[in-house]
Amino acid sequence: MNDHLDDKRSPFSIAWRDQFQVGIAQVDAEHKRLFSLVKSLSLQTANETVEELLEYVVLHFTHEQELMERSGYPAFDQHLKLHEEFGAHVADFLGSGEDWSEERVQELRRFLNRWLIGHILTHDLRFGKWYAELKDKRVALDAAAVAAPAKAKAKGFWARLFG
């Protein structure tokens, strides 16, 4: 039996897994929503679901890119390019003018799931790790900044007391 044909007949749907977490609550919540929207894609609701999915992708990419830019993520430009390439691929697919069929819905679902998983497990996880390290450094710097004046005050007090 032809595996390619079997792949087209059976719905391609992947549920959210904890391994997809990048460690940034908002990004993880948005990724979960994206998986849910892809899973809900069906022939009966294709137009509405695709519209909602596109709106949510724009919202998610905007949030993720703003977070990367504000935090000074060094791979921001490369990540932005990946988002742009994704958008171009989806626009080409949707701009073909073809009517929705079960095969076309499954093709879109396969592409979206594969792209999401590959992107999250490679690029978004890399950003999540970098962001966590940045937060750890900032916490350490903040703690040092709070401790420095306290040490100076303590030193001054003891020096006045015994000086």
Side-chain angles (χ1 to χ4, degrees), residues 64-155:
E64 194 174 80
Q65 290 165 191
E66 285 174 353
L67 184 59
M68 290 177 175
E69 197 169 29
R70 278 196 325 262
S71 65
Y73 184 50
F76 171 72
D77 289 336
Q78 293 102 330
H79 204 100
L80 178 62
K81 186 176 180 185
L82 294 169
H83 287 176
E84 290 169 351
E85 289 170 356
F86 170 83
H89 186 87
V90 171
D92 286 347
F93 180 85
L94 296 176
S96 71
E98 289 181 49
D99 288 334
W100 287 108
S101 65
E102 191 60 42
E103 183 178 318
R104 190 163 185 248
V105 167
Q106 294 310 320
E107 182 181 353
L108 179 59
R109 184 183 282 157
R110 276 191 302 276
F111 167 75
L112 293 172
N113 274 305
R114 287 178 179 151
W115 191 90
L116 275 171
I117 292 166
H119 184 78
I120 290 169
L121 291 178
T122 304
H123 305 285
D124 288 349
L125 278 174
R126 186 177 303 140
F127 170 63
K129 182 179 179 191
W130 178 87
Y131 190 76
E133 290 171 0
L134 177 69
K135 281 179 60 177
D136 289 346
K137 288 176 187 173
R138 286 186 177 165
V139 167
L141 288 174
D142 289 347
V146 168
K151 283 183 181 178
K153 286 180 185 177
K155 197 175 204 181

Side-chain angles (χ1 to χ4, degrees), residues 5-73:
L5 290 177
D6 287 346
D7 192 30
K8 286 186 176 188
R9 284 189 201 127
S10 61
F12 187 89
S13 184
I14 296 180
W16 171 263
R17 296 183 180 118
D18 287 343
Q19 301 94 298
F20 300 153
Q21 290 183 359
V22 300
I24 303 168
Q26 179 179 355
V27 173
D28 288 334
E30 291 174 0
H31 285 163
K32 285 180 187 177
R33 178 72 178 133
L34 288 170
F35 274 92
S36 175
L37 285 168
V38 171
K39 188 175 184 178
S40 71
L41 186 60
S42 70
L43 181 58
Q44 296 76 23
T45 65
N47 288 326
E48 298 82 13
T49 305
V50 166
E51 186 175 328
E52 185 178 358
L53 187 58
L54 292 176
E55 289 175 7
Y56 201 78
V57 164
V58 169
L59 178 74
H60 168 65
F61 282 0
T62 300
H63 289 160
E64 194 174 80
Q65 290 165 191
E66 285 174 353
L67 184 59
M68 290 177 175
E69 197 169 29
R70 278 196 325 262
S71 65
Y73 184 50

